[in-house]
Amino acid sequence: MAPLSVISLSLCFLLPLLSPAISTNSEGNALHALRRRLSDPTNVLQSWDPTLVNPCTWFHVTCDSNNHVIRLDLGNSNISGTLGPELAQLRHLQELYKNDISGEIPKDLGNLKNLVGLDLYGNRFEGEIPKSFSGLKSLRFLRLNNNNLTGSIPRELTALSNLKVFDVSNNDLCGTIPVDGPFGMFSMPSYANNMRLNGPELKGLVPYNFGC
Amino acid sequence: EAEALLKWKASLPINTQTLLSSLWGGSNHCNWTGITCNNAGSITKVILGEYELKLRGTLHNLNFFYFPNLIWLQLRNNSLYGSIPSNIGNLSNLKFLDLSYNNFSGNIPLEIGLLKSLSLISLGDNSLSGSIPREIRKLSTISYIYFMRNNLTGPIPIEILNLTKLHDLDLSQNNISGSIPSDIGRLSSLSILFLNQNHLTGTIPISIGDLQNLSQFVLVDNRLNGSIPKEIGMVTSLRLLDLSNNHLSGPIPTCIGNLSNMKWLYLWSNNLSGSIPNEIGMLKSLLAFQLANNNLTGVIPHSIGNLTNLDNLVLNFNGLSGSIPSEIGMLKSLFDLQLSDNNLTGVIPDSIGNLTNLGNLVLHFNGLSGSIPTSMGNLNKLSILEICENSLSGLVPQTLNNLTHLRILDLSHNHLSGSLPENVCLGGLLTRIAAIKNNLTGLIPSSLRNCTSLYRVRLEGNHLTANISEAFGIYPNLNFISLSNNIFGELSSNWGQCHNLTSLKITNNNISGKIPFQLGLATQLQELDLSSNHLNGELPKELGKLTMVSRLYLSDNQFSGKIPLEIGLLSKLEQLDLALNNLSGPIPDDLGNCFKLFNLNLSKNNLEESIPSSISYINALQSLDLSQNSLIGGIPQQFGKLQSLEVLNLSHNMLNGSIPEAFNKLRGLRFVNISFNQFEGPIPNLKAFHEASFDALRNNKGLCGNATGLMACVPSFLANHGHGKRTKVIISVMLPLFGGLLLLFLLVGSFFTFYKKTQTKESEPREEQQGDIFTVLGFNGRVLHDNIIEATEDFSSDYCIGSGGYGSVYKAALPTGQVVAVKKLYRSEDNIHINNLKAFESEVMALLEIRHRNIVQM
């Protein structure tokens, strides 16, 4: 798939910078660290064997031709637990939707410069949407709906020029809705059922986190 | 004394009572099992730990007051529970107290300090908590303290330094925090110091050099930092030093070479840097040397050849460079040699063949070159041989046929040629074999056919040949097999009997025939990849039994017939590739049940009929390729639901009609190809279409819109206006009345309360609109609206002073002399009316609460 291989190329350069001790299977180690955090009653993650050279033969993990992880598909898998900073070592992470994952969304995920889609909807995430998500320069899909997120929508996200699909409905967000950048085109259902979320931002007139 | 024992017995659970009654028969308690008396008939020893009695109960009813002559109390290895009673302090003559291997809980009683004669205290393997009592300082005769494997917290009490007779101190596997007392060197009799698996921080004290009798020093699994003190070189009595898994940095001190009694040296998983000191060769007694996972650089010293007793040498995960010294061949006792994940270059020395006791040889992830030495065939005890990810070349030596006890063989990612050793599974022990990406030729080893121990097989990326139906048998343990190139023959029904198989990948081969329906029995399969072969016939409906499958790749074969409906049973399917076959008939409606599919490729077949609308419900779908089929009809209206779609190829079909308006919702789309169909009408207002090349849109019936090679659309309702230059995403469409009221409202507020009042005033002449128009009573909506239209020349862009996502702000100088800012709301084209109203209401609600000096309060 052409767009994904572009991602992988840009990342090959990162690897030599890492120390040899972790370069061998840093992505596998990161995913295995994630596995240790998660409870997996239906053994969805059984194939995640950290002794293998890389995680590319693991199920629900997709690699590019350079053996770099570009996708993680754990949607609807009955897993629970929390996410940790180790996921920030991956590049393309999607589909953690409809599980029972709790805790805060790790701010380290904002380091995933090549992340195209982040689907964390339908879990029990709490805390704020990390401001660091402004670093997700390639992000096109961001779905955080149906969680317990609080706080305001970080204005930093207006810098996400590639963002096309955005959904934070059914949370407990507050403040006003950004109007700049990609936020000019998202419709109201993206924000539905956030009782303390006021209308669109009135720039210069009201603080964006008004009512928080 | 006997009475006290019987009273205790009576307090215990009935089973234990029965047991003790059988041991404690007769009137003379001095003859009871486990009881020893002195000449005066007074009990001196109670030893109940040697008989696997598994006594249950507590000590609460054992009154220690009645045992003044007790020297030895040993209750180890039972199932006693509850706290250790404080009246234990009455045993003033006690020398040996061993309560280990029970279930005692609670704190260590402070009264322990009263046991003035104590020489040994062993409380290990219980569930004791709290901190170690400072009263321990009173145990001036104590030599042995064993508190390991409890839940003790707090620091190591500094008072412990008073115990100058202390010989063994084992506090391992607790939750002890703080640092190691800096004066630990005062414990001059100390021989064994085990502080491993705690939460100790700080540095290793330099006074450690004073512990001239220290023989075993174990700090593994703590959080110690700083460097290894060079004073450690003074502790020549050391036989075991384990500082692994801490945060130690700096070099390995060269004076470590003084430790000539050292047998086991473990420093793995720290941040140690510098090179391995040459002096290591002086440790002639060394049996184990493990430095894995540090930042060590430089070469492996040649002096390592002096360590002729070495059993294991584990240096992997460092930055070691240079070649493997040929002196390694002198380590005749070596069983485990692991040098993987370094930057080692040069050849594998021939002398490695001298290591005839070697069981594990792990050299992967280095830059080793040259060929595999034929001498390796001498290593006939070898169980693990991993030399993958190097630059090894040349023929695989046939001497490897002598290695009949291999469990793991990994030659992957080298440049090896020749054939795999025929006898690789002769001993029947092989679990893993991998030789990915080499230039191997010849047959797949015949010993693999009956190699039932196999768990994982990866031979792809070679030119190995075999008749697959003969080369492989039934493997009850097989989990993963991947083969490619030159394999021929037919898929045997045996694969269905590999009941633990999760991945079956036989790609880019010449296998032919049909997929045996018995494959449906391999119900653990999660990946089936048979792409690029010459398989034919219909896809068996038994594929529907493989309900665990997440990846199904059958592309580039000669499959014919319909796609079985049973494919819809594969609810865990993530990727389905059936491209480049001769499949015909409709796309099964049931495919919509595969809601986790993100990659669906059915291209290059002869699929007919229309695209089922059920596909719209696969909401994970990222890439959909239905190109080069014979599909007819329109694109389902529901396609707008595919909110994850990035790649869409519908080209080369016979699809017709216009592209549904719902396509405008597919904002994530970035690659589209709808060429060679019968589409007509406007293209969706999406970047992916606007920026599509002509080739992606060409040869349709009548597409129009803003894209290369297409005519502009001429919508009838705007035929006279020529608005093509307007922005694509947001078009400012003024709602004449609604918008007019809106802007008035935004400035003046009080819309809802005031609207009715103004009804009667609307006919008033314009001249009356004077003074402060923003007072509630002076308000005339229509007049103000007209004034604003006039002042901004019907919202000319000359007066626009800013714009946001929801509206533009204009500067208007009113006839009254006031200058005001007017915000005009947009109506975005794909928002339905109700959303505008919601946005409007949200603004109203926000304005209601604003406190700002430039906004009029409602």
Side-chain angles (χ1 to χ4, degrees), chain A residues 69-82:
Chain A
V69 176
I70 52 169
R71 239 190 112 101
L72 193 56
D73 285 87
L74 298 176
N76 253 327
S77 302
N78 290 318
I79 53 177
S80 58
T82 59

Side-chain angles (χ1 to χ4, degrees), chain A residues 190-208:
Chain A
S190 295
Y191 309 101
N193 288 325
N194 284 281
M195 295 307 284
R196 299 188 296 136
L197 195 59
N198 292 304
E201 181 174 10
L202 296 160
K203 297 197 67 181
L205 301 180
V206 209
Y208 73 88

Side-chain angles (χ1 to χ4, degrees), chain A residues 119-179:
Chain A
D119 280 344
L120 301 178
Y121 62 87
N123 280 290
R124 288 193 292 124
F125 284 111
E126 57 200 27
E128 302 200 359
I129 300 171
K131 291 183 173 59
S132 63
F133 274 13
S134 61
L136 302 170
K137 297 297 182 200
S138 309
L139 201 66
R140 295 172 76 83
F141 304 88
L142 178 58
R143 282 173 280 232
L144 306 175
N145 49 298
N146 297 75
N147 280 294
N148 303 322
L149 297 170
T150 51
S152 58
I153 300 170
R155 262 36 183 183
E156 288 80 356
L157 300 189
T158 59
L160 296 175
S161 55
N162 291 310
L163 195 61
K164 304 292 180 192
V165 175
F166 179 76
D167 195 344
V168 290
S169 60
N170 297 297
N171 279 292
D172 189 22
L173 299 170
C174 59
T176 58
I177 297 169
V179 295

Side-chain angles (χ1 to χ4, degrees), chain A residues 1 3-4 7 19-22 24 42-44 46-47 49 51-62 65 67 71 73-77 92 94-95 97-98 116-117 119 121 138 140-141 143 162 164-165 176-180 183-189 191-192 197-206 210, chain B residues 293-295 317-319 341 343 364-365 388-389 410 413 432 455-456 458 480 502-503 505 524 526-527 550-551 572 574-575 595-596 598-599 619-620 622-623 643-647 665-671 687 729-730 746 803-806 823 828 830-831 835 838-839 842-843 845-847 849-852 854-855:
Chain A
M1 204 179 300
L4 300 188
I7 293 168
S19 76
I22 46 172
T24 314
T42 53
N43 265 332
V44 171
Q46 194 171 27
S47 66
D49 177 356
T51 65
L52 299 176
V53 172
N54 63 48
C56 298
T57 58
W58 298 1
F59 300 120
H60 318 298
V61 173
T62 307
S65 55
N67 287 334
R71 239 190 112 101
D73 285 87
L74 298 176
N76 253 327
S77 302
H92 195 292
Q94 278 184 300
E95 317 291 340
Y97 61 89
K98 287 189 190 164
V116 171
D119 280 344
Y121 62 87
S138 309
R140 295 172 76 83
F141 304 88
R143 282 173 280 232
N162 291 310
K164 304 292 180 192
V165 175
T176 58
I177 297 169
V179 295
D180 293 331
F183 288 86
M185 64 182 177
F186 305 137
S187 55
M188 290 312 282
Y191 309 101
L197 195 59
N198 292 304
E201 181 174 10
L202 296 160
K203 297 197 67 181
L205 301 180
V206 209
F210 174 77
Chain B
N293 205 12
N294 278 291
N295 301 322
F317 288 107
N318 276 292
D341 301 274
N343 302 320
H364 58 67
F365 280 97
C388 56
E389 306 270 359
D410 196 343
H413 299 284
R432 293 170 186 248
Y455 176 79
R456 196 173 170 91
R458 293 195 69 180
F480 189 107
T502 63
S503 263
K505 301 172 68 160
Q524 292 301 306
Q526 297 191 54
E527 176 175 39
S550 62
R551 301 171 187 156
K572 293 182 176 163
E574 292 168 12
Q575 303 197 61
F595 65 100
K596 286 187 167 183
F598 69 83
N599 184 8
N619 57 15
Q622 182 188 355
S623 173
Q643 282 292 295
S644 296
L645 201 62
E646 291 177 59
V647 177
K665 292 183 189 162
L666 301 179
R667 290 215 187 87
L669 208 58
R670 58 178 152 186
F671 172 82
K687 212 173 164 183
V729 181
I730 301 165
L746 281 173
S803 62
Y806 283 78
K823 186 168 188 177
S828 81
D830 56 355
N831 279 3
N835 290 338
K838 267 189 177 173
S842 301
E843 291 239 38
M845 296 314 289
L847 275 166
E849 311 228 31
I850 291 178
R851 300 286 182 276
H852 191 284
N854 287 345
I855 287 197

Side-chain angles (χ1 to χ4, degrees), chain B residues 105 110 141 185 195 205 313 343 356 404 519 523 552 578 653 678-679 738 760 777 795 804 850:
Chain B
S105 56
L110 307 182
T141 57
L195 301 176
L313 177 61
N343 302 320
T356 48
T404 53
L519 194 60
T523 51
L552 182 55
L578 304 178
N653 279 291
Q678 304 292 318
F679 291 121
F738 184 49
T760 54
L777 290 173
F795 297 108
I850 291 178

